[in-house]
Amino acid sequence: MGLTSKVVLAAVAALAVALFAATVWLWPRLARRGAAAVTGRVGLLLATQLVLFASVGLAANNAFLFYGSWADLFGRKQELGVVSDHTAGGPGSRNMTRTGTQRPDVPGGGVPTAGGRIDKVVVSGRLSGIESPAYVYLPPEYFRSAYAKRPFPAVVVLTGYPGTAENLLKGLRYPQAAHERVKAGKAQPMILVMLRSTVAPPRDTECVDIPKGPQTETFFAKDLPEAITQSYRVGKQARNWGIIGNSTGGYCALKTGLHHPDRYAASAGLSAYYKAAEDPTTGDLFHGKQELRDRADLMWTLENRPPSGGSFLVTTSRQGEGNWKSTMRFIDKVKAPAQVSSIVLDSGGHNFTTWRREIPPALEWLSGRLSAQ
């Protein structure tokens, strides 16, 4: 049974209740003196506490999807094998392999022309050498004859750290939000390319090209768009591409758009920060090179190397978010010809509940700044 299984949660919660009942029932017998009685009391209390904490942890993980599997929780390497799909109509790029498909959780999701389709793929970076799993959401219009020769805009969607791509499907519900916006006439159909910002797990690479290490920025700025355009009907110009993410993914989205306006016309950071983190999870990102550290600082970049164009969306909350002041500074530093927009909530924490409030308008914003042609 999977880590996020409701059966697992129910079983652990039931065990916690049973242990609590056993403690109450057996406590009079264990109240006597002696090593056996003391050991029994300690054992029952310890077991009850551990199972209780486990049930609370599982419930929190099911709500926010910090970890998608047992392997992800314990840091074991995943995606060791790749199954090639040679069926007709599959992605034809040598830089991408489709390993499966699934139905979106939307009305009519079982029929591609009504609900679209989600492809599970593995992207192999030609320049970076990075290989990463991803999900590609294809809207229903992609399968309709009226759109057969039409390219679609694409949006790269990134998780925070250490999130999994499943977070974007189950927790943040990007395909559902995109489907609803199109159905309401508030957004155009877009392809969503959903993956974790950490493409060299368990290391948090902060989407930078690390000297003698993972070339993460190259992967997102060059390899990923190349693989997608070779495999799906997506435009190749910057006006056809957007990028969005939350937390670490938000920083990555803004930084990638800021450094590569020739690739991404629109970039959105939900609860983003504006300077690369440096801690035990990142390791040595810059190897003592100050110019690389400066480049990863978005405020420094706006002051010293202002963008030649592009549109940026940032989100924050007046209460509950720690990035309110830095977000206001970022807005103030963006100068023409670049453009900046914002979503500022009265209150909202650094969590999925807040981001689910921001994703629909963010997708509308991206749709208004991207072109299918």
Side-chain angles (χ1 to χ4, degrees), residues 15-350:
L15 180 58
V17 173
L19 283 171
F20 176 77
T23 301
V24 174
W25 179 260
L26 295 174
W27 197 259
R29 302 182 186 182
L30 299 174
R32 298 187 294 270
R33 296 180 180 180
V38 172
T39 301
R41 292 197 297 269
V42 171
L44 276 175
L45 289 173
L46 181 61
T48 302
Q49 291 293 323
L50 287 176
V51 176
L52 178 62
F53 282 131
S55 60
V56 171
L58 285 169
N61 189 67
N62 282 12
F64 298 105
L65 289 174
F66 299 115
Y67 300 96
S69 66
W70 296 109
D72 186 45
L73 174 65
F74 294 110
R76 297 197 300 268
K77 186 176 180 181
Q78 302 177 71
E79 303 295 340
L80 294 179
V82 174
V83 178
S84 297
D85 185 350
H86 300 287
T87 57
S93 169
R94 62 182 179 180
N95 300 323
M96 179 180 292
T97 303
R98 191 175 72 197
T99 61
T101 63
Q102 64 188 65
R103 55 182 292 177
D105 186 14
V106 300
V111 180
T113 54
R117 188 181 77 196
I118 296 175
D119 287 352
K120 186 174 183 180
V121 304
V122 175
V123 179
S124 300
R126 180 176 63 86
L127 299 174
S128 66
I130 290 174
E131 187 173 273
S132 177
Y135 290 98
V136 180
Y137 165 69
L138 303 171
E141 291 79 6
Y142 190 87
F143 301 97
R144 297 175 184 171
S145 56
Y147 294 81
K149 296 183 179 180
R150 172 186 163 177
F152 287 76
V155 176
V156 174
V157 185
L158 303 176
T159 67
Y161 177 82
T164 66
E166 287 79 5
N167 290 355
L168 304 171
L169 298 176
K170 300 178 182 178
L172 296 178
R173 298 170 58 85
Y174 268 94
Q176 292 89 329
H179 185 272
E180 290 168 1
R181 294 299 93 191
V182 174
K183 188 176 181 180
K186 296 184 177 181
Q188 63 178 314
M190 299 182 292
I191 292 175
L192 305 182
V193 184
M194 300 168 282
L195 67 167
R196 65 196 306 182
S197 58
T198 306
V199 292
R203 187 176 188 181
D204 176 10
T205 58
E206 294 290 298
C207 297
V208 304
D209 284 347
I210 303 173
K212 299 181 180 179
Q215 303 296 289
T216 316
E217 183 174 333
T218 295
F219 176 82
F220 286 119
K222 299 179 181 180
D223 289 338
L224 184 59
E226 179 184 81
I228 295 296
T229 55
Q230 289 177 356
S231 303
Y232 298 99
R233 299 196 309 276
V234 177
K236 298 181 179 180
Q237 305 303 314
R239 64 178 180 270
N240 310 128
W241 283 83
I243 184 168
I244 184 174
N246 59 273
S247 191
T248 299
Y251 163 73
C252 289
L254 295 174
K255 182 169 73 69
T256 303
L258 188 61
H259 291 165
H260 301 276
D262 59 330
R263 169 45 62 198
Y264 293 100
S267 313
L270 311 183
S271 302
Y273 49 88
Y274 303 95
K275 182 179 180 181
E278 295 183 73
D279 56 37
T281 67
T282 67
D284 187 356
L285 294 175
F286 308 111
H287 290 225
K289 297 182 179 180
Q290 187 60 39
E291 65 272 19
L292 297 182
R293 181 174 284 103
D294 289 340
R295 189 175 184 276
D297 185 334
L298 306 193
M299 303 297 186
W300 184 94
T301 300
L302 288 173
E303 290 174 353
N304 295 275
R305 299 176 185 174
S308 57
S311 297
F312 302 92
L313 172 67
V314 290
T315 77
T316 188
S317 302
R318 293 185 177 89
Q319 292 183 342
E321 283 278 20
N323 73 335
W324 187 83
K325 290 184 179 179
S326 57
T327 297
M328 296 301 106
R329 287 181 55 216
F330 180 89
I331 293 172
D332 185 61
K333 289 181 181 295
V334 175
K335 306 299 182 184
Q339 300 176 336
V340 63
S341 305
S342 67
I343 298 173
V344 180
L345 303 178
D346 289 334
S347 64
H350 197 81

